[in-house]
Amino acid sequence: MAEINRKTVVVLGTGGTIAGTASSPTDNVGYAAAQLGVDALLQGQGNWLLAMADLESEQVAQLDSKDMDFEVWRLLARRCVHHLARSEVCGIVITHGTDTMEETAFFLQRVLGSAGMGTKPVVLTGAMRPASSIAADGPQNLRDALTLALDDQATGVMLAFASVMHSAVNVRKTHTYRLDAFGSGDGGPLGYVEEGVVRWVRRAEQGGGDAGELARLLPRIVSSRAAFPRVELVASGAGADAFVVDALLQHGQATGTPVRGIVVAGTGNGAVHHALEAALARARDAGVAVVRASRCGDGRVLPRSDDTFADCGSLTPAKARIALMLSLLAAAAPSI
């Protein structure tokens, strides 16, 4: 007979380096991502976990996360909604490639939070070395993620990586190779997983956004086939000009798939080269939503009274793009 009130953790697999293999156990770069299924990753994890909870797994996708797309995001959101609504499920773990992990985490935080589903944890994890590595980091990262998913204080979307816990709002990949490849900028980590024990140092931010706008997100993403609006990233720097912005507008006119929003990664405090700024102003006048972000790794864009465009605060350019895309999808005035 099943134990009353026994917890269940659901693990959703999407591929990535954690599921990758190489021909040599010493090759940590020339591997093929997404070769092993989520069940294979969980082998050896069940014995300790089953003493505390039941474990379920589901292969949602199998891809290198550099190739992550909106339809996989839509499917992930659907499966998270399904499992989080189950009373016996205490949390979800998602195995994911590191290239776009921060983007998936932020997307899920915004979408699941819009439905009030942030009371249970959704923990993303992955690896910097393939499963075939002589010193693979995936098994410990997965163990830490499962530990965090079982913690009574854990809520919302988080990352567990290299023994560090990050919020979906603050996390960003900061290194191309090191095992501790993620940081949380000025916000700092949420805490640490140390020898199977979670140590909290702060509570997670929930990601902002207009409450009415967010309430319209989940039905559109989970239940409909509404296309994600086209939002593009452009960068300002020395010699920046109108070429990319004008090309985006011309392409939209020629193909019938207009760009709906542009996030500009500015220098310093979100500053934009005057030639690029003029092109962005023309795009705005043509109905394109424009938001400023900063190329800097830390800090936030501080508003000024003479700003031409809205800013995204402390969001990275990649997350500002997602926030703007979701705002447009919710058919509301753009709000970061």
Side-chain angles (χ1 to χ4, degrees):
M1 180 179 296
E3 184 178 333
I4 298 175
N5 296 326
R6 184 170 167 81
K7 295 179 178 180
T8 297
V9 176
V10 178
V11 183
L12 305 178
T14 68
T17 297
I18 192 172
T21 58
S23 58
S24 168
T26 60
D27 187 352
N28 294 317
V29 177
Y31 58 86
Q35 300 301 299
L36 302 178
V38 66
D39 288 341
L41 302 183
L42 288 169
Q43 289 180 4
Q45 295 285 341
N47 291 336
W48 70 271
L49 182 66
L50 289 177
M52 296 177 285
D54 294 324
L55 184 64
E56 298 179 10
S57 62
E58 181 180 332
Q59 195 74 47
V60 175
Q62 187 72 313
L63 76 166
D64 187 323
S65 78
K66 68 179 177 60
D67 298 321
M68 183 57 64
D69 60 40
F70 301 146
E71 290 312 308
V72 175
W73 277 1
R74 194 191 301 271
L75 182 55
L76 265 177
R78 286 174 177 158
R79 299 314 296 157
C80 285
V81 168
H82 168 76
H83 290 299
L84 291 173
R86 297 168 53 196
S87 60
E88 71 273 22
V89 171
C90 66
I92 294 174
V93 170
I94 299 175
T95 58
H96 196 291
T98 61
D99 282 357
T100 55
M101 188 184 294
E102 67 199 75
E103 294 176 59
T104 298
F106 183 74
F107 167 80
L108 290 174
Q109 176 66 40
R110 277 286 172 100
V111 172
L112 298 177
S114 74
M117 291 190 167
T119 58
K120 294 180 181 180
V122 176
V123 186
L124 282 78
T125 195
M128 290 298 290
R129 293 174 179 169
S132 56
S133 173
I134 195 171
D137 55 323
Q140 184 63 56
N141 286 344
L142 181 53
R143 184 184 179 101
D144 290 346
L146 291 166
T147 299
L148 180 54
L150 284 165
D151 190 83
D152 291 336
Q153 297 184 60
T155 60
V157 184
M158 298 170 284
L159 264 68
F161 210 94
S163 301
V164 185
M165 297 145 45
H166 303 277
S167 80
V169 176
N170 300 120
V171 71
R172 71 282 309 268
K173 191 171 182 180
T174 59
H175 205 278
T176 60
Y177 183 76
R178 282 194 328 227
L179 298 187
D180 56 336
F182 289 88
S184 288
D186 292 342
L190 296 177
Y192 306 91
V193 185
E194 300 162 332
E195 297 297 311
V197 177
V198 175
R199 177 166 64 90
W200 294 93
V201 296
R202 72 176 182 92
R203 306 306 300 172
E205 297 178 35
Q206 295 307 307
D210 177 77
E213 169 192 308
L214 290 174
R216 292 189 289 275
L217 276 178
L218 193 64
R220 290 171 183 257
I221 290 172
V222 174
S223 304
S224 78
R225 299 296 297 176
F228 283 76
R230 179 176 290 278
V231 176
E232 299 293 345
L233 274 172
V234 299
S236 184
D241 58 21
F243 180 82
V244 174
V245 173
D246 288 346
L248 287 172
L249 296 178
Q250 292 167 9
H251 180 269
Q253 293 171 351
T255 62
T257 56
V259 61
R260 298 281 310 285
I262 295 175
V263 173
V264 55
T267 52
N269 189 40
V272 180
H273 190 288
H274 69 88
L276 176 57
E277 185 177 58
L280 290 168
R282 292 194 298 272
R284 179 196 58 197
D285 293 343
V288 178
V290 178
V291 173
R292 292 181 305 122
S294 174
R295 290 171 16 185
C296 296
D298 291 331
R300 66 189 306 271
V301 178
L302 299 174
R304 296 177 10 164
S305 59
D306 59 347
D307 283 338
T308 305
F309 309 110
D311 68 78
C312 69
S314 61
L315 294 180
T316 64
K319 290 179 181 178
R321 174 175 175 255
I322 295 167
L324 180 56
M325 183 169 55
L326 292 177
S327 178
L328 292 167
L329 186 62
S335 172
I336 305 298

